[in-house]
Amino acid sequence: MALIVQKYGGSSVGSVDRIKSVSQRIYRTVKEGNQVVVVVSAMGKTTDGLVKLAQEISSNPCRREMDMLLSTGEQVSISLLSMALQEIGQPAISLTGAQVGIVTEANHSKARILEIKPDRINRELQQGKVVVVAGFQGITNLTDFEITTLGRGGSDTSAVALAVALQADCCEIYTDVPGILTTDPRIVPSAKLMDEITSDEMLELASLGAKVLHPRAVEIARNFGMELVVKSSWTDDAGTKVISPPAQGKPLVGLEITKAVDAVQFDSDQAKIALLRVADRPGIAAKLFGEIARQNVDVDLIIQSIHEGNSNDIAFTVVKGVLPHAESVAMAIAPILDENGNTDILVEKKIAKIAIAGAGMIGRPGIAAKMFQSLASAGVNIQMISTSEVKVSCIVAQDEFDRAINALCEAFDIDSSNISYHEKQDSTLVPVRGVALDQNQAQLAILFVPDVPGMAAKVFTVLSEENISVDMIIQSQRCRIVDGIPMRDIAFTVAQQDAQQAKEALYRLQSEIKFKEISVDTNIAKVSIVGSGMVGSPGVAAKFFEALAKESINISMITTSEIKISCVVAESQGIQALKAVHEAFSLSGDTTLEVPSKE
């Protein structure tokens, strides 16, 4: 007998007919010899309606009262679903988050789960009942019973956390699409269903805006080795498996309060090539990396800095063994990248790459700031920054390498550093699994920041103190001397709603770090490709950039990790860019998907 946790989203239980259909699916699962725990969201747009009611009462409602209000939505759906199951002869009981012992932080509207007391659920299961649990909610402790909600994606998080606490065999997430798709089927109807995806790939896609699974749910599954399957509640198709590493026997107390950083990674076999003042027009990155790919040179990190006038800086790293070859390619193509002959090429051999990695970094402001601060305290200057949702990488001088590693291990309480860059890659991994689009970001650029240790730390500490999460971070390669002081630019992206707050907070720092000015661009979109097979596959970046060039789409920023490449483009060209890149990597399926409604 297997124990299965099933989660149904708002559209899956959005009407009486849908609830009856879901009850039949649950009933069939029980008849197959399984015990079933069900987690449900509020019906349809119930939560939106409750928020609107609150806003009609108050422009700034108390977060505690909002949790009291919003938690009622799930109570409606769990009671109706339990009634539907009982009506067809299946014993069932509905329970709130408090009744099943979901204990959270005392942080209203965005609480994280501390632990789950599964005794009540286990008793009900032993009596042959289906237990229907209200997702999205918990309580602060078993004394005060203060109701909390888990924030966006809370029902996904509830389901996976319950599956872990109950030691379930599987957690099934039912939604309005047939599984994990290569991109948003509402934009590209020919998006293809994936049979499986790694949890690392899913974390990147979920964080980039793929709405099928919330990153917090994937993080829990990854940390505890829980098998996830994403399926459609409208069909009986197999869906997509999310493959996580084997369980590591982590304690269930502090379930969602795991370390934000679980590894310090490093690579001393790196060299950097920077092309300064390349022309700012569509196709430049495609030409450069197209030629590099044709020479079968595998590139690691890539960054493109913000514009200055009508030019950009592009830098990339390679292993030292191919540096002469890569340098020759760069020298040969440089005249093509700028007809005026203004492009300079800088080569740096004595460098190393260090990185912090961890699924717990998502949605936790201050992790990058802590990294930069620890390096600054150790007197380590950062030459290059590249970020993803679950990793921050920095290039530092080789003679500061050991000091940097020790500082990061101490700052994040990591016993030993973890080498992962040159491990043998699984040949079955796909170079590109999917494409994602985020149109809700803004780009900020701090111009003329003194190039001394500690500047990045000060900038991002201020943002973390404002509880602002930063996404892409890029430090320019071009260094300008002003009054004898070397200056660089630092650019980053944040959620659009945080842009003004970030700008105001940073200007309060101007008297201390003496930067020139801050520019803000809210009319951007971020297009990203994700795939664990990128490592050791030359040409992936070139194909990405070429797809944009063919559509005359200019790139304003580039950043990469081992399994992701992201480009910032104009917001008006975001959807066009997504479609072009999806087609370039032949990610479409043979059928056109019809999505019933949005979760």
Side-chain angles (χ1 to χ4, degrees):
M1 178 183 292
L3 172 56
I4 298 173
V5 175
Q6 297 182 340
K7 178 261 175 178
Y8 293 91
S11 63
S12 298
V13 292
S15 67
V16 169
D17 286 342
R18 291 300 305 144
I19 288 173
K20 289 180 177 179
S21 176
V22 165
S23 70
Q24 291 289 343
R25 182 184 296 274
I26 296 166
Y27 183 68
R28 290 197 299 272
T29 306
V30 174
K31 290 304 177 186
E32 290 169 359
N34 303 301
Q35 292 181 310
V36 182
V37 175
V38 181
V39 177
V40 292
S41 301
M43 294 176 64
K45 301 294 183 181
T46 298
T47 301
D48 293 342
L50 293 172
V51 170
K52 185 177 179 181
L53 282 174
Q55 290 172 341
E56 290 175 1
I57 297 291
S58 170
S59 60
N60 186 27
C62 167
R63 292 199 307 175
R64 178 192 181 277
E65 301 309 326
M66 284 299 294
D67 279 359
M68 289 289 286
L69 175 66
L70 298 183
S71 64
T72 64
E74 279 71 23
Q75 289 180 232
V76 173
S77 51
I78 61 172
S79 55
L80 291 175
L81 181 55
S82 292
M83 292 177 195
L85 286 164
Q86 293 164 7
E87 191 67 18
I88 59 176
Q90 172 58 50
I93 185 170
S94 62
L95 298 172
T96 65
Q99 288 174 310
V100 299
I102 298 178
V103 181
T104 75
E105 303 171 302
N107 189 9
H108 289 289
S109 80
K110 51 184 177 182
R112 287 181 178 265
I113 298 172
L114 296 175
E115 62 178 318
I116 296 176
K117 309 282 190 180
D119 300 349
R120 176 73 186 274
I121 293 180
N122 284 326
R123 287 201 306 271
E124 302 294 350
L125 288 173
Q126 290 303 316
Q127 296 175 30
K129 297 177 185 175
V130 168
V131 182
V132 185
V133 179
F136 180 63
Q137 61 182 251
I139 52 170
T140 55
N141 55 58
L142 298 179
T143 302
D144 296 334
F145 288 94
E146 280 290 305
I147 293 175
T148 53
T149 63
L150 308 182
R152 191 174 73 84
S155 292
D156 287 353
T157 306
S158 300
V160 181
L162 277 168
V164 168
L166 293 165
Q167 298 183 318
D169 296 278
C170 179
C171 182
E172 299 175 344
I173 306 292
Y174 287 89
T175 182
D176 55 3
V177 292
I180 311 297
L181 300 159
T182 51
T183 195
D184 188 342
R186 299 172 182 88
I187 299 176
V188 182
S190 60
K192 184 166 59 177
L193 176 68
M194 304 181 207
D195 294 330
E196 64 179 39
I197 185 172
T198 68
S199 57
D200 285 338
E201 291 169 329
M202 191 64 237
L203 270 172
E204 296 281 12
L205 285 173
S207 302
L208 291 166
K211 297 178 177 62
V212 177
L213 267 178
H214 194 272
R216 283 170 62 185
V218 184
E219 177 189 350
I220 296 170
R222 179 182 180 274
N223 287 339
F224 291 93
M226 176 54 59
E227 180 180 328
L228 279 179
V229 183
V230 180
K231 300 182 176 185
S232 171
S233 62
W234 302 74
T235 71
D236 292 323
D237 295 340
T240 304
K241 286 186 178 181
V242 181
I243 309 299
S244 293
Q248 300 296 316
K250 294 184 178 183
L252 295 178
V253 176
L255 192 147
E256 229 191 327
I257 315 296
T258 56
K259 283 184 178 180
V261 173
D262 54 29
V264 173
Q265 301 175 335
F266 58 86
D267 186 359
S268 58
D269 185 18
Q270 291 268 300
K272 179 181 74 172
I273 298 177
L275 292 89
L276 310 184
R277 289 181 290 276
V278 300
D280 176 27
R281 64 170 185 267
I284 294 299
K287 288 179 181 176
L288 171 61
F289 291 101
E291 185 58 32
I292 288 172
R294 279 189 287 276
Q295 298 299 322
N296 202 36
V297 174
D298 197 13
V299 173
D300 186 3
L301 294 181
I302 302 172
I303 66 164
Q304 178 176 302
S305 307
I306 57 171
H307 304 168
E308 181 180 69
N310 60 351
S311 67
N312 290 326
D313 299 341
I314 299 177
F316 59 94
T317 63
V318 295
V319 296
K320 288 176 181 174
V322 302
L323 177 61
H325 195 182
E327 185 178 358
S328 298
V329 174
M331 293 289 291
I333 201 169
I336 301 173
L337 304 182
D338 180 25
E339 298 87 343
N340 298 320
N342 294 324
T343 298
D344 290 331
I345 297 176
L346 301 180
V347 177
E348 180 61 66
K349 301 176 183 178
K350 296 180 178 180
I351 65 166
K353 179 170 69 170
I354 54 172
I356 55 172
M361 294 167 61
I362 298 169
R364 295 182 186 176
I367 302 302
K370 185 175 181 179
M371 178 188 192
F372 302 152
Q373 183 58 60
S374 66
L375 294 176
S377 298
V380 176
N381 198 30
I382 300 170
Q383 298 183 19
M384 186 170 164
I385 301 169
S386 188
T387 60
S388 79
E389 276 63 20
V390 295
K391 181 176 288 189
V392 182
S393 300
C394 295
I395 297 297
V396 301
Q398 195 168 55
D399 59 5
E400 297 176 341
F401 180 45
D402 291 337
R403 196 160 72 247
I405 295 170
N406 292 335
L408 293 179
C409 287
E410 182 178 350
F412 292 102
D413 192 25
I414 304 294
D415 290 336
S416 60
S417 300
N418 172 37
I419 304 174
S420 69
Y421 291 122
H422 299 306
E423 291 175 358
K424 189 174 187 289
Q425 292 297 307
D426 185 344
S427 61
T428 64
L429 294 175
V430 178
V432 176
R433 288 275 194 191
V435 186
L437 174 66
D438 188 344
Q439 294 178 295
N440 298 309
Q441 294 208 348
Q443 174 186 292
L444 283 81
I446 313 173
L447 307 180
F448 290 82
V449 179
D451 183 28
V452 294
M455 291 299 103
K458 290 178 179 178
V459 166
F460 293 103
T461 296
V462 165
L463 296 176
S464 70
E465 288 171 350
E466 296 286 325
N467 203 34
I468 295 172
S469 291
V470 177
D471 185 8
M472 298 172 71
I473 303 173
I474 295 177
Q475 181 173 271
S476 71
Q477 294 303 291
R478 200 175 314 180
C479 191
R480 292 144 300 184
I481 306 299
V482 179
D483 297 330
I485 300 173
M487 301 280 190
R488 295 187 191 272
D489 301 331
I490 297 176
F492 58 92
T493 59
V494 298
Q496 282 181 1
Q497 66 264 27
D498 292 335
Q500 186 60 33
Q501 181 186 356
K503 181 180 178 181
E504 292 171 359
L506 289 169
Y507 265 121
R508 293 195 292 271
L509 194 65
Q510 190 173 27
S511 61
E512 181 180 350
I513 66 173
K514 310 297 183 185
F515 61 81
K516 181 181 178 182
E517 63 178 309
I518 299 172
S519 66
V520 179
D521 185 358
T522 57
N523 298 312
I524 65 165
K526 183 176 74 170
V527 183
S528 305
I529 56 174
V530 173
S532 293
M534 285 186 191
V535 178
S537 299
V540 173
K543 183 181 285 190
F544 185 6
F545 303 150
E546 179 64 28
L548 299 180
K550 286 180 179 178
E551 298 293 320
S552 299
I553 296 172
N554 200 27
I555 301 169
S556 64
M557 291 172 69
I558 302 170
T559 188
T560 66
S561 72
E562 283 73 23
I563 67 169
K564 189 191 74 170
I565 303 172
S566 294
C567 293
V568 170
V569 302
E571 184 179 28
S572 61
Q573 294 182 305
I575 290 177
Q576 180 187 1
L578 175 75
K579 291 178 177 178
V581 174
H582 191 268
E583 182 179 353
F585 286 98
S586 303
L587 296 176
S588 293
D590 298 327
T591 59
T592 298
L593 294 170
E594 293 184 10
V595 182
S597 61
K598 201 169 184 177
E599 284 281 14

